Amino acid sequence: MAALACIAMALAISACSAAAPEAMMSASGPSGFAAERFPKPQRPVAGIVSDQWASEDSRERAGEASRVIDLLGIRPGVTVADIGAGAGYYVSRLAHQVGPEGRVIAEDIERRTLDRLGRRVSRERLGNVSLVLGAPHDPRLAPRSVDLALLVHMYHEVAQPYGLLANLVPAMRPGGRVAILDVDGPVLSHGTPRALLSCELAAVGYREVAWHWVEGRSIYLAVFEFPAEPPEPEHIVPCGVR
């Protein structure tokens, strides 16, 4: 009987662990503008080859996350959305930074990636993290839920940047910011040239408020204010067509 009880307990623990990612999945916000309403970007789109840009050890040695968190002045109590959260390098560090009164929303478009991230969140006991399954053109975040949206080494992989940027606006709280970390290099080499980034965000009404070089003159952190009202999708003029 004791052996059977132990087996039953083990199965129960296993079932809870398997369900953990689903339990942490937040209800998505309302759908935004449909993807087909937006113009296609007049530039290539890099393929998604991994759920992380580089090993966490190498990023920690370079002090990447601490540098970005410091530059953005992220303080306890705020809500940060990690758009394209991947393996969770920033999710883990942001969760500790914002503290129990803050919130980290880990968004990704791949359910398998979110499942793996959910197991990490459970393992690290990050009770202030929730998961959201978005779409390539729509992060599906709840209205007025985000103080800071952070896009790390993934903007070049966004197939519909105008849609993503426009559909992100309703999720932002007054005074909120959007920050993009990327390499100042060709898109197909997994970077976004500075001029291209500035042009695409301006096309949706975003205004650049800060620019920082994080690593030499290669990796940058660009910070933007979101528009009060983005233009109608059909009125957006894609960069390269002007």
Side-chain angles (χ1 to χ4, degrees), residues 32-231:
F33 295 112
E36 56 268 21
R37 291 187 59 185
F38 293 92
K40 293 181 179 179
Q42 302 298 303
R43 45 90 165 171
V45 177
I48 301 174
V49 296
S50 174
D51 61 2
Q52 59 182 357
W53 178 69
S55 74
E56 294 199 13
D57 287 344
S58 66
R59 296 171 85 173
E60 278 300 277
R61 286 194 298 271
E64 179 189 315
S66 59
R67 171 83 169 137
V68 169
I69 288 171
D70 182 60
L71 286 170
L72 292 173
I74 299 173
R75 63 187 187 281
V78 303
T79 296
V80 181
D82 186 355
I83 308 296
Y89 171 71
Y90 272 86
V91 169
S92 179
R93 287 149 183 84
L94 288 168
H96 292 290
Q97 181 67 21
V98 302
E101 301 302 317
R103 197 79 190 159
V104 176
I105 303 169
E107 186 270 359
D108 208 279
I109 64 172
E110 296 284 347
R111 180 170 286 277
R112 285 182 297 179
T113 296
L114 282 180
D115 286 345
R116 288 193 296 270
L117 180 53
R119 289 190 287 272
R120 175 176 184 165
V121 168
S122 295
R123 186 170 61 250
E124 297 184 13
R125 300 181 182 276
L126 303 177
N128 58 351
V129 174
S130 55
L131 311 179
V132 169
L133 181 66
H137 73 290
D138 186 354
R140 299 294 305 278
L141 303 179
R144 295 292 183 264
S145 61
V146 176
D147 297 301
L148 172 69
L150 183 61
L151 292 75
V152 177
H153 291 301
M154 54 74 70
Y155 185 82
H156 49 268
E157 297 172 351
V158 179
Q160 182 38 271
Y162 305 114
L164 178 71
L165 293 169
N167 286 324
L168 178 59
V169 171
M172 303 303 298
R173 291 173 176 162
R177 297 168 296 158
V178 175
I180 298 175
L181 185 77
D182 214 332
V183 175
D184 188 15
V187 172
L188 292 181
S189 296
H190 289 271
T192 306
R194 179 174 185 173
L196 174 63
L197 182 81
S198 298
C199 181
E200 289 191 344
L201 273 90
V204 190
Y206 284 74
R207 186 174 73 88
E208 186 179 309
V209 294
W211 182 279
H212 308 280
W213 291 108
V214 175
E215 186 176 313
R217 303 284 290 186
S218 173
I219 299 176
Y220 60 76
L221 177 68
V223 186
F224 299 85
E225 288 181 348
F226 63 94
E229 284 288 340

